[in-house]
Amino acid sequence: MIITAIKKKTIVLALCAVVGISAAAFSPFLLLTGAKEGDTPEKRFIKWVDFSVSYEALSSALDIDIKSHTEENGAAYSWVELLAYLASKYGGDFSHFKKSDLDRLIQTAESEGKTIDELGASLKNYDYFKEAYGAVLDGFVGNHSIEIPNPENGGEKVMAERYGLKVFSPIARGYGYSHFDDFGASRSYGFRRKHLGHDMMGGVGTPIVAVESGVVEAVGWNRYGGWRIGIRSFDKKRYYYYAHLRKDHPYNDMYEGKIVTAGEVIGYLGMTGYSTKENVNNINTPHLHYGMQLIFDEATQKEGNNEIWIDMYAITKLLEKNRSAVYHDSEAKEYYRKYEMFEESTEE
């Protein structure tokens, strides 16, 4: 069971009262990161994240971020900073989020002539939430170029410069799916464990696209995920895992080390997995399992018992705002993205 930052802190403070230790002896940073007194800065990395930001909060903060960066007048706001500030106020619990809280925060920043960072400096856990939420969301928004149809010349594609979402839903545009918040649900194949991803039920062969641009780190068979792909973001903070891909033809030219662009077709939905034998359909319902792993320390968090996986339900709802259009090449027998996208990281 994941314990929220506030619950964890409350438990520690209660123990302090029992044994007579001063609560002032405990740093909020140490509680939130799991670091120890005397640790060097290199050892003080985040050791767990409970990402419980609601869809409503994500969407509202995103709208403010985009609007502030596309208008000529006024300050530009980062949705990560806005959400980190609210998380510090809410104790990480967004179940009672109100849009008015964001509006009030912006009004305060403008009336006092301060940045969100300056306002957050007085909050104990602001730095933690900014780093944790940044690890989740830093690659989602920014400047990029994307092809769009131009109605003035018969729909011929032209490049458009944009600021906004540059990540995509993992399910291509035009393909239906269903989902619910199943993060943490019980799984029993192999051993009893918790579901550390998000399932999207759909039809076999549905094109699956890369959520974010990055480098393919894993491709091939896994007894739990079947045919699967692992893609690492360029900043190394996020590892995306796509599993249960289609039998016989799971991938669209995937190999380790390949650079992929957000919205690019990487494979096809299926029902493989739960088998030590390769290329076996042993999943009852066709679906995509995808997840996001956060990595603050390569040596201890990439693989093993210290992995950090987050609930992707609210993010999946947010990504409905941006779905990649695809087309089928009958000769190649593959699907490809219809509109190309370019961003600095992939061009480099």
Side-chain angles (χ1 to χ4, degrees):
M1 178 178 182
I2 298 175
I3 304 175
T4 65
I6 295 305
K7 287 181 180 178
K8 191 172 185 180
K9 183 177 179 182
T10 301
I11 291 171
V12 174
L13 295 182
L15 290 173
C16 291
V18 171
V19 299
I21 300 175
S22 169
F26 289 87
S27 160
F29 177 84
L30 300 182
L31 289 171
L32 292 166
T33 62
K36 300 179 179 65
E37 291 288 0
D39 275 356
T40 62
E42 290 76 15
K43 288 186 177 180
R44 291 185 174 186
F45 54 86
I46 291 177
K47 297 189 172 57
W48 63 272
V49 174
D50 181 11
F51 189 77
S52 59
V53 183
S54 66
Y55 163 75
E56 291 75 18
L58 284 171
S59 182
S60 297
L62 175 65
D63 288 345
I64 291 173
D65 184 314
I66 294 175
K67 184 178 179 180
S68 71
H69 279 84
T70 52
E71 291 184 343
E72 294 184 0
N73 300 320
Y77 294 100
S78 159
W79 70 325
V80 171
E81 293 175 3
L82 295 172
L83 293 170
Y85 186 94
L86 291 185
S88 301
K89 288 288 192 179
Y90 296 158
D93 180 4
F94 280 80
S95 61
H96 301 294
F97 165 76
K98 299 187 293 294
K99 175 65 165 56
S100 58
D101 292 339
L102 266 179
D103 296 335
R104 191 177 303 110
L105 174 57
I106 298 298
Q107 291 170 2
T108 300
E110 293 178 349
S111 63
E112 297 184 10
K114 293 183 177 180
T115 65
I116 303 302
D117 272 346
E118 289 172 334
L119 293 176
S122 62
L123 302 177
K124 286 185 177 179
N125 300 327
Y126 175 77
D127 288 341
Y128 162 78
F129 282 115
K130 182 180 177 182
E131 183 178 357
Y133 289 4
V136 178
L137 303 171
D138 275 344
F140 279 38
V141 180
N143 293 309
H144 59 284
S145 303
I146 191 165
E147 290 181 328
I148 60 173
N150 185 351
E152 295 181 359
N153 61 0
E156 183 178 340
K157 292 182 286 190
V158 296
M159 293 302 299
E161 301 290 330
R162 287 184 175 176
Y163 178 91
L165 273 180
K166 54 179 184 171
V167 289
F168 293 82
S169 166
I171 302 292
R173 184 189 302 176
Y175 291 84
Y177 67 88
S178 61
H179 69 131
F180 60 94
D181 194 352
D182 56 347
F183 186 80
S186 178
R187 294 291 186 270
S188 59
Y189 175 77
F191 62 97
R192 187 163 295 280
R193 64 196 187 282
K194 293 181 179 179
H195 187 232
L196 298 179
H198 187 69
D199 288 344
M200 303 174 73
M201 276 60 72
V204 172
T206 293
I208 303 302
V209 306
V211 172
E212 181 179 356
S213 301
V215 180
V216 177
E217 284 193 347
V219 62
W221 183 263
N222 177 287
R223 64 177 294 188
Y224 301 102
W227 294 121
R228 80 341 180 181
I229 302 171
I231 299 176
R232 189 79 165 268
S233 63
F234 288 119
D235 63 11
K236 299 289 188 179
K237 297 176 182 178
R238 292 166 298 285
Y239 176 78
Y240 293 89
Y241 180 72
Y242 308 81
H244 306 314
L245 302 181
R246 183 174 61 182
K247 181 180 178 180
D248 297 329
H249 189 175
Y251 308 124
N252 185 344
D253 188 29
M254 287 293 108
Y255 53 87
E256 291 184 16
K258 181 178 182 178
I259 294 176
V260 298
T261 305
E264 176 181 339
V265 178
I266 58 175
Y268 305 100
L269 187 148
M271 50 195 300
T272 60
Y274 284 13
S275 173
T276 56
K277 184 179 179 181
E278 287 191 5
N279 203 35
V280 172
N281 279 336
N282 215 18
I283 302 295
N284 293 328
T285 303
H287 69 277
L288 169 71
H289 166 110
Y290 89 110
M292 180 194 291
Q293 180 189 2
L294 303 182
I295 302 170
F296 300 93
D297 181 69
E298 193 79 18
T300 63
Q301 295 179 333
K302 179 60 172 70
E303 296 180 357
N305 297 327
N306 299 314
E307 295 177 3
I308 302 173
W309 296 88
I310 66 165
D311 189 338
M312 294 291 284
Y313 179 66
I315 289 176
T316 301
K317 291 181 66 177
L318 184 78
L319 296 183
E320 275 287 333
K321 296 175 181 285
N322 205 27
R323 299 183 70 181
S324 181
V326 301
Y327 71 93
H328 184 250
D329 184 323
S330 57
E331 184 174 337
K333 297 181 180 180
E334 300 282 8
Y335 284 84
Y336 298 97
R337 70 182 311 153
K338 189 173 182 179
Y339 303 109
E340 295 294 335
M341 187 184 82
F342 301 94
E343 50 182 320
E344 290 183 3
S345 56
T346 53
E347 289 178 34
E348 292 173 359

